[in-house]
Amino acid sequence: MEKTYEKYRFSAISIKKEIADRFRRYSKDVSKSHSETLEAMLNFFKWNNLSPNENLGVKKDDTKKRINALIAIIRNIEKEQTLPTKAMLDILFQEVSQMESHSKQWKEQEGSFDFGAPELLTRDAELEHYRNRYEEMQKELSHYKNRVEELWNQLNYVKGTFGKGYHKLDMDKNELENFKKSLNHVHHHYRTKS
């Protein structure tokens, strides 16, 4: 530890013993050495443009200006943000309380609705329902597979004279329209039945 202080030159200052003891106690709380504590104190006064003989209260003009500016900012925030927000919340809560009172009055006048208890299905009934639905869907799928196979059988390949060949559907206009309509309504088959 002595090696770190070898590069510095030290000087002694004579001060009263009570003040020296007080400074030593304060120095233990602030930093590792008395020199660092004293340097930090001097920097504080210099950076903040303060004198140890001045009162840090509102007597200094710079401090008064800073405090007055802070008060003005806080009042502006209160005027522009806090009070309008509070007013909006008050209006909102008034509307909610009015709606609740109207709702209570309406329920008292009309009586409460009773939709009844929902019908609970047993496990077996629920399984039977899903089994039946599955079988219906299988039948529908089989039906659509058959329709697609019929359509596939009605396709004929025609060799192009000047370009690529193409597939021709051998189906009259009415049959094609009926097929389109049946495809457009496929999604309706998957609705749950009550």
Side-chain angles (χ1 to χ4, degrees):
M1 192 169 204
E2 292 178 5
K3 292 181 181 178
T4 57
Y5 293 117
E6 283 180 4
K7 51 187 162 184
Y8 300 115
R9 294 180 55 201
F10 289 95
S11 173
I13 299 175
S14 297
I15 54 174
K16 293 180 182 177
K17 183 177 180 341
E18 297 83 22
I19 296 173
D21 291 338
R22 185 176 166 198
F23 179 75
R24 285 186 186 106
R25 285 191 303 272
Y26 180 73
S27 180
K28 285 180 186 178
D29 294 337
V30 174
S31 65
K32 296 179 182 177
S33 70
H34 299 311
S35 297
E36 289 176 5
T37 303
L38 191 56
E39 185 178 18
M41 291 168 66
L42 292 171
N43 287 338
F44 172 79
F45 286 113
K46 183 178 180 184
W47 292 338
N48 293 301
N49 195 20
L50 298 171
S51 169
N53 296 327
E54 290 182 14
N55 187 348
L56 295 180
V58 291
K59 291 183 179 177
K60 187 168 180 172
D61 289 338
D62 292 341
T63 309
K64 278 185 183 178
K65 288 178 184 175
R66 289 179 185 170
I67 290 173
N68 288 338
L70 286 173
I71 290 170
I73 290 170
I74 291 170
R75 284 185 179 160
N76 188 29
I77 289 171
E78 185 179 54
K79 179 181 174 186
E80 299 294 326
Q81 295 174 7
T82 309
L83 292 178
T85 305
K86 182 184 178 300
M88 285 189 286
L89 287 173
D90 287 344
I91 291 169
L92 179 67
F93 288 130
Q94 284 176 349
E95 290 293 324
V96 168
S97 64
Q98 286 176 359
M99 287 173 60
E100 287 175 352
S101 65
H102 288 305
S103 173
K104 287 178 185 176
Q105 289 173 357
W106 184 76
K107 282 182 181 178
E108 289 171 0
Q109 290 174 356
E110 296 293 323
S112 61
F113 289 107
D114 185 17
F115 293 105
E119 181 182 334
L120 298 175
L121 295 175
T122 63
R123 194 180 111 216
D124 293 335
E126 189 174 4
L127 284 173
E128 185 66 28
H129 168 77
Y130 287 116
R131 186 179 299 118
N132 292 339
R133 189 68 190 120
Y134 175 75
E135 289 173 3
E136 288 173 15
M137 290 176 69
Q138 288 295 327
K139 287 178 186 176
E140 290 174 11
L141 179 63
S142 174
H143 171 73
Y144 288 115
K145 280 184 181 178
N146 292 337
R147 291 288 289 154
V148 169
E149 283 180 21
E150 290 173 12
L151 187 67
W152 189 258
N153 291 332
Q154 290 175 320
L155 279 177
N156 295 321
Y157 183 75
V158 177
K159 196 172 190 178
T161 315
F162 298 106
K164 293 182 182 179
Y166 58 92
H167 285 90
K168 178 180 175 184
L169 184 61
D170 214 8
M171 184 183 282
D172 68 352
K173 187 176 180 180
N174 291 333
E175 193 177 352
L176 181 63
E177 289 299 320
N178 289 337
F179 184 74
K180 282 183 186 177
K181 286 180 184 176
S182 69
L183 288 180
N184 284 338
H185 297 295
V186 167
H187 66 277
H188 294 297
H189 294 300
Y190 295 107
R191 289 185 176 169
T192 57
K193 295 182 179 179
S194 52

